[in-house]
Amino acid sequence: MLTTLKNGRLTVTADTRGAELQTIDKDGGPSYLWSGDPAFWAFHAPTLFPIIGALRGGRALSAGGEISLPKHGFCRTAEFALEDAGDTFVTYRLTDSDATRKGYPFAFCLRVRYTLEGDSVETRYTVTNRSEQDMPFFIGGHPAFRVPLSEGETLEDYLVEFPEKETLDCPQVELGSGLIMDTVRNRFLTDRSSFALNHVLFRGDALIFDDLRSRSVSMRSVKSGRGVRLDFPDMPYLAIWTPVVDSPFVCLEPWTGMGTRVSEDDRFEHKLGAKILKPGEEQSLAFTITVF
């Protein structure tokens, strides 16, 4: 079920399926978000929970029992309940079920709330542990943006920019398993704050930045000036991705952690960035998309 939000600047739609943003339109123009065309990628902006990336063999151990999850977890195809909505906000809720507990043996409540303010959309995740034991989890966003945004442009006309100069070594991704090869790293940036996009950058899967100083990133056209900015103060990691095929969109993904690294064991709680909630405890984390 779709819900439409408006604030005089933006018109945004979101769906109970996956609690997923579908469109972000500014001043009546076309959506900044990817259309979800399944010929390329059938999503718009899924929520990644309770794992980001892949587990080794799809499985891990935890204090609550064995965990068995697909890549990026189960939220993107889950049906959320519409909990609350107004002209400029909507909140969705997902709680554990027999189906989720088969792969993630914890009782939880996940709320996803979208709020409009000016030219921005805040995505806020609130995770509550309803279990009687500590609950480990990861959460992140996966918004996909149309690139190019204007006619007569190509991907090569777009820059990714950070507010601070960065020196970044990206771990490789093992294409068959999806594991993060943190023992094999490539120097990507040296004391620079921007780089130009091209499809060759993504032939080895996502660019993963696990030592980023900046807590925001922009992607803009050098021709039209149009673009987006993500502010992610609560998320220490960032990935940038587009599929191997020359797809007309780019994802900017703020993460609290990541999938299994080849240097790690298979204990869920040991994975980089794992958050642990005590029984009854909750945590709220947010990022903001601004379009221009």
Side-chain angles (χ1 to χ4, degrees):
M1 182 180 71
L2 290 177
T3 296
T4 299
L5 309 178
K6 295 182 178 182
N7 69 348
R9 299 282 293 172
L10 300 182
T11 300
V12 170
T13 59
D15 197 352
T16 50
R17 183 182 183 271
E20 186 181 18
L21 286 177
Q22 304 283 297
T23 61
I24 301 175
D25 306 343
K26 181 180 177 181
D27 298 330
S31 177
Y32 279 75
L33 285 180
W34 167 240
S35 67
D37 182 351
F40 295 96
W41 192 59
F43 298 96
H44 309 267
T47 292
L48 314 183
F49 175 87
I51 184 64
I52 294 166
L55 300 174
R56 186 180 283 110
R59 297 179 180 276
L61 301 175
S62 77
E66 184 177 87
I67 290 174
S68 175
L69 291 169
K71 186 177 181 180
H72 291 327
F74 45 66
C75 282
R76 52 185 172 178
T77 58
E79 185 68 20
F80 282 66
L82 175 60
E83 185 173 76
D84 193 15
D87 291 341
T88 62
F89 72 90
V90 62
T91 303
Y92 299 102
R93 183 184 72 252
L94 181 70
T95 55
D96 58 283
S97 64
D98 290 343
T100 66
R101 288 190 295 271
K102 287 180 181 178
Y104 182 63
F106 299 96
F108 69 89
C109 177
L110 168 63
R111 288 180 171 86
V112 181
R113 182 181 178 92
Y114 300 113
T115 305
L116 308 189
E117 184 172 348
D119 292 333
S120 300
V121 184
E122 182 191 70
T123 299
R124 180 165 297 277
Y125 304 124
T126 302
V127 183
T128 305
N129 180 9
R130 307 197 309 165
S131 303
E132 295 182 357
Q133 69 266 6
D134 291 357
M135 185 182 84
F137 75 94
F138 301 80
I139 198 161
H142 201 314
F145 301 98
R146 285 193 307 112
V147 176
L149 287 166
S150 301
E151 291 186 11
E153 297 177 343
T154 67
L155 178 70
E156 288 75 13
D157 294 319
Y158 283 73
L159 286 178
V160 170
E161 298 175 312
F162 299 108
E164 299 189 50
K165 288 186 176 180
E166 301 281 356
T167 295
L168 301 171
D169 294 318
C170 288
Q172 294 183 17
V173 178
E174 194 173 78
L175 293 180
S177 66
L179 299 185
I180 309 300
M181 299 172 65
D182 56 316
T183 56
V184 182
R185 306 176 71 89
N186 297 322
R187 174 57 55 92
F188 187 76
L189 287 182
T190 302
D191 197 31
R192 291 175 53 196
S193 60
S194 68
F195 63 93
L197 287 172
N198 63 73
H199 287 288
V200 175
L201 291 174
F202 303 99
R203 292 298 187 251
D205 209 317
L207 302 174
I208 297 174
F209 303 121
D210 57 1
D211 191 21
L212 195 65
R213 298 170 59 197
S214 301
R215 284 296 171 267
S216 70
V217 62
S218 297
M219 181 172 63
R220 68 172 178 87
S221 166
V222 297
K223 287 186 174 180
S224 67
R226 296 181 65 196
V228 298
R229 187 184 79 239
L230 255 68
D231 294 282
F232 47 99
D234 299 333
M235 312 286 190
Y237 309 109
L238 177 73
I240 302 178
W241 174 78
T242 190
V244 172
V245 293
D246 291 347
S247 304
F249 67 89
V250 174
C251 298
L252 303 177
E253 308 175 38
W255 297 347
T256 61
M258 61 185 63
T260 299
R261 299 179 295 165
V262 296
S263 65
E264 292 176 336
D265 60 22
D266 291 321
R267 188 78 178 188
F268 199 74
E269 293 90 339
H270 294 173
K271 301 190 182 305
L272 182 66
K275 293 188 173 295
I276 313 292
L277 291 179
K278 299 291 184 183
E281 190 175 27
E282 73 175 29
Q283 185 169 13
S284 181
L285 308 104
F287 69 92
T288 301
I289 299 169
T290 302
V291 299
F292 54 87

